[in-house]
Amino acid sequence: MLISLNWLKDFIALEGSAGELAERLTMAGLEVESVQSLSEGFEHLVVGRILQKAPHPDSDHLTLCRVDVGKKELRIICGAPNHEQGDKVIVALPGARLPNGMEIVPTTIRGIESFGMICSEKEMGLSDDSTGVMILPEDVVVGTPAADVLGRNDTVLEIDLTPNRPDCLSHFGVAREIAALTGFPLTPPTVKIVEEGPKIATRTSVQVHEPDLCPRYTCRVIENVSIGPSPLWMQERLRAVGLRSINNVVDVTNYVLMEQGHPLHAFDYDLLSGNRIEVRRAEKGEKTRTLDDVERTLDSGMLVICDAEKPVAIAGVMGCGNSEVNDGTRRILLEAACFQPTSIRRTAKRLGLHSESSHRFERGTDIEGLVTALDRAASLIQSLAGGTVAKGRIDVYPVRPPKRVIPLRVAKVKELLGISLSPEETGRILGSLQLPLEYSDKETLQVGIPTFRVDLEREIDLIEEIARIYGYNRIPSTRLTATLEPGGTTRSRQLTMQVRQALVAEGFFETIHYSFHNPDDLDLLGLEVDDPLHDPIAIQNPLSRDQSVMRTTLLPGLLHNLQQNLKRFRSDVRLFEVGRVFQKTTDRPALERDRLAGVVSGLEVLPGWDRAPREVDFFDVKTILESLMSGIGIPSLRWVALETLPYLHPGKSAWLRKDGTSLGFLGELHPEVMKRFDLPQRALYFELDLEATFQAASEAVLYRPAIRFPAVERDIALIVDDDLPAGAVDSMIREVAPDLIRDVRLFDLYRGKPIPAGKKSLAFSIRFQAEDRTLTDKEINGIRDKIVEQLKERFGAALRD
């Protein structure tokens, strides 16, 4: 936002330098990014009058001009085609350095000396117009510094406003802040309208079909206007804040926009079909051409201003060319309205069209201040373009917003700011911001909120306002004191950290993913449509399809990580993630579960001079998980064959259970899933339910002294059915004599002759040891025979010869 200091002076007295003012505004929350003097480059430019014009004797396009610059006359050679004898122009004297960097020195052009230059707007950096020199009004005084005539004795502040302060998107809004900071009186702009035309109801009507999107619409009609250039002072003020002059009527709407902060629009009344206004939603696919000469395709979510037949403006964004004020305009309909900010923001974004109007409507405008802006504009148009203003104004305002009052506790101000302010001083500060006290006592102030302060909603907002105006630099610095006690960690967090450390020690790297992913990944896993994992919770406003649903499993993220590593020739990969998954439920928004998942691929044994390489397999990862479980207090586990998960290889996956409770699973990825994720080598995946795992973990640390009596190992080879899990045999053996059998280890698996078809041979090594004696052969043989008998009875097992 560009703010002219000369313009500010219309409303408030300024003291001190521009730099001091910039510092004060910045400390009050209106950050001034730059301070620019507009007079730079105009030091040796003055008003001159062309006394004589004659052709150059050695050129068909140059002219010799004798120019009065006040104290002397100069001969200047000019190449512009538009100047005549008697014109008043801007003359750059010798020694001038123009804003575009050009230095002016006496020079000889085709044999004749020239002592200066008659300037165009482009040469002075005022515009891009270089078709001719700038011709000044007849009433300017010869010899006057050009900076005075062009309004360049001015300084412009560039203020970077936060989106919550639309009240400062104008010169009057900034002046209101300065008045609060300095205590100087604020002078509002002058509004003087002479209504001599017919009643406005006889000229037009307004119908608002969408009051939720347009809560207020007002307009005036002005007849018999004369379209022409704006006076120089208005052109220069607009130019100072980055706007170009168009004509006197359009310039007034832009001028009031920058002065009052409320956007206005002027329609050519005679180009409005039916001479009336309707505010409605656009029809889907409806087209219109805006003032920038671009055809726009609208949709039903956009609000448009229409006449009896067609859109004439995209509400709050930009007008249309079919009702534009032009040189032939004689009657205008002047609009001031208030629009719903979200609607304008969406429309501007969808159309890719950002304007000064949309910038303000998106942030919120003053619904009560738009009448002041409308009347100010009508007053200026009547002054600059003539015309007759119709009596009255149309004001469609069906529902007035309720009066807002926020209670403010004086004690809360001291608590948060650390300063003691009396209720009277607090009220004075708030009053300087035009925040009136509706009611007050010693403890609580009832603060009225004006409609131009859309950012004030809570008590803390008022306390911030007090701090701004009181001065952040005046708030004393105090040392904070607090008692710090070491925080404890929950058992779940401790076990989670222990699990992480154990996996890192096994060569794993931890990954972290977003809690949402692409639903297409669930199809790649081969999940059935009725599988709960295939019914994720959808994000209402996703950034992209890749982040459109909450994850029901950690597997897709890990597989994408594995894929990226393999593509970058990192073939030995071990990754894990501790994260949360989400499933739909009927009694709450989501069922959230903490999971530990990991993926392993590559070599378990690296090649060396003394060993061959070996790819990691199911049993390698099984050993890792058993070690992990043992480390957190789950020493004994049961592995049960798993056939139901479509993304795991049947026959190469298993459930991990403890006392009948499923803690998780481990398996090799299904070949089809590997193809879909473009994985060229075998990979294994495991997943643990952390809540169930930690509940099964024992907190007790058991100490058992070393047994001093010797252990005896015996081997046993059995022939069993091929589909019988070795784990079932292992568990059966341990159950026979749990106090004497210390360990059972499978060391051989064999299929083939002479083992019958449908059978397999399992060989176990059993370690026997008693705590109180040395076991005899008779005791050991008795236990062995009992093992064989029970295995035969339960599983139909037979000893292998």
Side-chain angles (χ1 to χ4, degrees):
M1 177 70 190
L2 298 179
I3 295 295
S4 160
L5 294 193
N6 285 350
W7 203 335
L8 280 179
K9 291 174 184 177
D10 288 354
F11 313 121
I12 192 167
L14 300 179
E15 65 176 6
S17 67
E20 291 171 341
L21 176 61
E23 176 67 18
R24 198 160 187 179
L25 288 173
T26 298
M27 291 302 298
L30 277 64
E31 182 182 1
V32 178
E33 288 194 333
S34 65
V35 179
Q36 180 186 3
S37 172
L38 299 185
S39 63
E40 185 176 351
F42 283 79
E43 289 81 1
H44 297 282
L45 274 66
V46 298
V47 175
R49 182 183 184 88
I50 300 176
L51 302 176
Q52 183 180 10
K53 172 187 173 184
H56 192 291
D58 194 23
S59 173
D60 58 357
H61 69 279
L62 297 177
T63 58
L64 298 178
C65 298
R66 185 163 58 89
V67 183
D68 178 11
V69 293
K71 296 182 180 180
K72 56 184 175 181
E73 297 179 4
L74 299 176
R75 181 173 65 227
I76 299 175
I77 299 176
C78 184
N82 67 322
H83 58 289
E84 299 294 339
Q85 182 173 321
D87 284 344
K88 291 184 178 179
V89 293
I90 300 295
V91 177
L93 304 175
R97 184 182 181 88
L98 299 181
N100 64 3
M102 180 186 298
E103 294 187 19
I104 304 301
V105 295
T107 186
T108 300
I109 302 176
R110 298 196 177 187
I112 299 179
E113 278 192 301
S114 176
F115 299 93
M117 184 175 75
I118 302 175
C119 300
S120 67
E121 291 185 10
K122 183 175 183 179
E123 290 161 338
M124 290 184 288
L126 301 180
S127 73
D128 293 330
D129 183 11
S130 59
T131 57
V133 297
M134 184 178 189
I135 306 299
L136 299 175
E138 180 61 32
D139 58 353
V140 297
V141 178
V142 172
T144 304
D148 293 343
V149 174
L150 300 178
R152 306 303 287 186
N153 278 329
D154 194 5
T155 300
V156 171
L157 307 181
E158 183 180 2
I159 301 179
D160 184 17
L161 291 172
T162 53
N164 67 322
R165 294 301 307 273
D167 58 299
C168 291
L169 285 170
S170 67
H171 283 76
F172 189 72
V174 174
R176 188 164 48 215
E177 287 288 302
I178 296 173
L181 292 170
T182 63
F184 292 164
L186 186 67
T187 304
T190 302
V191 176
K192 183 179 181 181
I193 302 176
V194 179
E195 297 179 341
E196 297 178 333
K199 292 183 178 180
I200 191 171
T202 66
R203 288 292 186 258
T204 189
S205 63
V206 175
Q207 187 172 8
V208 178
H209 297 281
E210 300 290 340
D212 291 342
L213 302 182
C214 178
R216 189 175 189 182
Y217 189 100
T218 65
C219 67
R220 282 188 176 274
V221 172
I222 306 175
E223 301 177 329
N224 303 316
V225 297
S226 298
I227 304 300
S230 297
L232 194 59
W233 65 266
M234 178 171 284
Q235 293 184 37
E236 293 307 321
R237 282 199 170 178
L238 292 176
R239 186 178 288 120
V241 296
L243 298 179
R244 65 183 181 89
S245 174
I246 298 174
N247 58 54
N248 47 7
V249 170
V250 175
D251 286 357
V252 164
T253 62
N254 288 332
Y255 185 88
V256 174
L257 169 69
M258 292 299 172
E259 178 186 82
Q260 300 283 316
H262 198 95
L264 305 167
H265 189 71
F267 299 99
D268 187 317
Y269 175 87
D270 294 304
L271 295 179
L272 298 175
S273 298
N275 301 131
R276 61 188 175 91
I277 291 293
E278 291 190 18
V279 183
R280 61 170 174 83
R281 289 181 183 269
E283 298 176 2
K284 186 176 181 180
E286 191 170 13
K287 296 181 183 295
T288 189
R289 188 172 292 276
T290 45
L291 289 172
D292 55 357
D293 200 29
V294 176
E295 187 176 69
R296 312 281 180 177
T297 301
L298 311 178
D299 62 45
S300 59
M302 301 176 182
L303 193 69
V304 289
I305 312 300
C306 303
D307 58 17
E309 299 176 352
K310 62 189 180 298
V312 292
I314 300 174
V317 180
M318 186 174 284
C320 299
N322 54 21
S323 58
E324 180 181 7
V325 172
N326 55 72
D327 292 344
T329 298
R330 291 297 173 263
R331 296 190 290 180
I332 62 171
L333 186 147
L334 187 62
E335 165 202 277
C338 186
F339 301 110
Q340 205 270 340
T342 302
S343 170
I344 304 304
R345 187 182 306 114
R346 289 174 178 168
T347 298
K349 185 176 181 179
R350 288 175 186 172
L351 295 177
L353 183 59
H354 184 80
S355 64
E356 291 285 354
S357 294
S358 68
H359 185 77
R360 287 160 175 80
F361 281 125
E362 287 174 13
R363 288 155 174 77
T365 54
D366 180 8
I367 195 169
E368 295 295 339
L370 60 84
V371 169
T372 301
L374 177 70
D375 290 350
R376 170 67 168 160
S379 172
L380 286 170
I381 290 174
Q382 193 173 43
S383 172
L384 302 181
T388 303
V389 179
K391 291 184 176 68
R393 69 175 83 86
I394 290 179
D395 189 356
V396 181
Y397 196 4
V399 180
R400 292 181 178 271
K403 193 172 186 179
R404 293 188 298 148
V405 176
I406 298 176
L408 174 64
R409 293 165 291 174
V410 176
K412 195 67 175 178
V413 176
K414 181 178 181 180
E415 176 185 337
L416 293 181
L417 300 184
I419 54 176
S420 296
L421 296 177
S422 65
E424 293 75 19
E425 177 65 10
T426 302
R428 185 198 65 76
I429 292 176
L430 295 174
S432 70
L433 289 164
Q434 299 185 15
L435 305 178
L437 299 184
E438 301 296 320
Y439 169 80
S440 65
D441 56 35
K442 292 184 178 181
E443 297 181 356
T444 304
L445 307 180
Q446 301 295 329
V447 183
I449 308 300
T451 53
F452 63 80
R453 289 305 301 268
V454 297
D455 59 311
L456 301 182
E457 299 177 347
R458 302 171 299 165
E459 180 183 47
I460 190 65
D461 298 328
L462 297 177
I463 296 174
E464 180 186 2
E465 292 300 293
I466 293 171
R468 288 194 315 108
I469 303 306
Y470 180 82
Y472 292 120
N473 56 325
R474 294 176 59 195
I475 297 176
S477 299
T478 56
R479 187 183 299 275
L480 297 177
T481 59
T483 301
L484 298 179
E485 296 181 359
T489 58
T490 63
R491 178 170 180 269
S492 175
R493 182 170 294 183
Q494 289 174 343
L495 290 175
T496 301
M497 183 59 66
Q498 190 173 341
V499 166
R500 283 189 168 106
Q501 292 171 347
L503 287 174
V504 170
E506 292 287 352
F508 282 77
F509 289 91
E510 184 174 5
T511 65
I512 299 175
H513 297 95
Y514 289 116
S515 295
F516 24 78
H517 61 189
N518 192 325
D520 297 338
D521 288 339
L522 301 177
D523 295 327
L524 298 180
L525 295 179
L527 297 173
E528 297 294 336
V529 177
D530 58 350
D531 192 314
L533 299 183
H534 200 278
D535 188 22
I537 299 170
I539 304 298
Q540 290 185 353
N541 188 24
L543 296 175
S544 67
R545 184 167 178 80
D546 286 340
Q547 300 178 354
S548 60
V549 298
M550 302 299 291
R551 63 184 179 186
T552 57
T553 171
L554 304 181
L555 178 55
L558 289 168
L559 291 186
H560 284 301
N561 289 149
L562 176 60
Q563 178 194 68
Q564 293 168 4
N565 278 273
L566 295 179
K567 285 183 177 180
R568 289 161 176 78
F569 306 104
R570 294 184 58 88
S571 57
D572 301 324
V573 181
R574 295 187 177 196
L575 303 173
F576 78 94
E577 179 176 8
V578 177
R580 187 161 291 181
V581 296
F582 306 83
Q583 292 185 9
K584 288 184 178 178
T585 182
T586 56
D587 59 343
R588 47 184 167 173
L591 178 63
E592 303 181 25
R593 295 282 191 180
D594 289 326
R595 294 283 191 266
L596 165 67
V599 63
V600 183
S601 184
L603 297 180
E604 172 67 19
V605 178
L606 297 176
W609 65 270
D610 60 342
R611 62 189 181 273
R614 182 175 67 79
E615 192 174 9
V616 68
D617 60 19
F618 177 92
F619 297 100
D620 295 317
V621 184
K622 175 176 176 288
T623 301
I624 293 173
L625 292 180
E626 289 176 340
S627 174
L628 175 69
M629 292 297 191
S630 178
I632 62 173
I634 310 178
S636 58
L637 299 167
R638 185 181 175 204
W639 296 87
V640 180
L642 185 162
E643 304 287 346
T644 57
L645 296 181
Y647 46 86
L648 295 183
H649 197 303
K652 297 184 178 181
S653 54
W655 291 108
L656 178 59
R657 291 180 177 169
K658 170 67 174 175
D659 298 332
T661 301
S662 178
L663 305 184
F665 57 85
L666 162 66
E668 186 176 316
L669 286 178
H670 196 289
E672 290 299 320
V673 173
M674 294 177 63
K675 287 181 182 179
R676 297 183 194 124
F677 279 90
D678 193 22
L679 301 176
Q681 65 188 40
R682 181 170 62 178
L684 294 109
Y685 175 72
F686 65 85
E687 185 174 311
L688 299 179
D689 183 334
L690 290 182
E691 182 178 352
T693 300
F694 294 161
Q695 286 179 355
S698 174
E699 295 187 62
V701 178
L702 299 179
Y703 167 75
R704 178 175 293 171
I707 300 174
R708 61 190 182 89
F709 297 98
V712 178
E713 291 194 5
R714 294 287 175 87
D715 295 342
I716 183 172
L718 304 168
I719 298 176
V720 296
D721 292 339
D722 196 26
D723 59 354
L724 179 65
V729 180
D730 183 298
S731 298
M732 181 72 252
I733 293 173
R734 295 176 187 270
E735 291 175 4
V736 173
D739 294 335
L740 299 178
I741 297 175
R742 301 301 175 187
D743 190 30
V744 179
R745 181 172 58 86
L746 176 69
F747 67 87
D748 185 60
L749 166 65
Y750 177 74
R751 294 182 180 92
K753 294 180 179 181
I755 306 301
K759 300 288 184 175
K760 63 184 176 184
S761 172
L762 298 176
F764 293 89
S765 176
I766 306 172
R767 184 161 60 91
F768 301 90
Q769 190 176 25
E771 295 182 351
D772 57 353
R773 69 189 185 279
T774 300
L775 295 175
T776 64
D777 286 343
K778 183 178 179 180
E779 287 180 293
I780 294 173
N781 290 337
I783 297 172
R784 180 179 181 277
D785 292 341
K786 190 174 180 180
I787 290 172
V788 173
E789 180 182 346
Q790 291 196 17
L791 289 173
K792 181 179 180 180
E793 179 181 338
R794 184 176 296 187
F795 301 123
L799 279 174
R800 180 180 175 186
D801 296 333

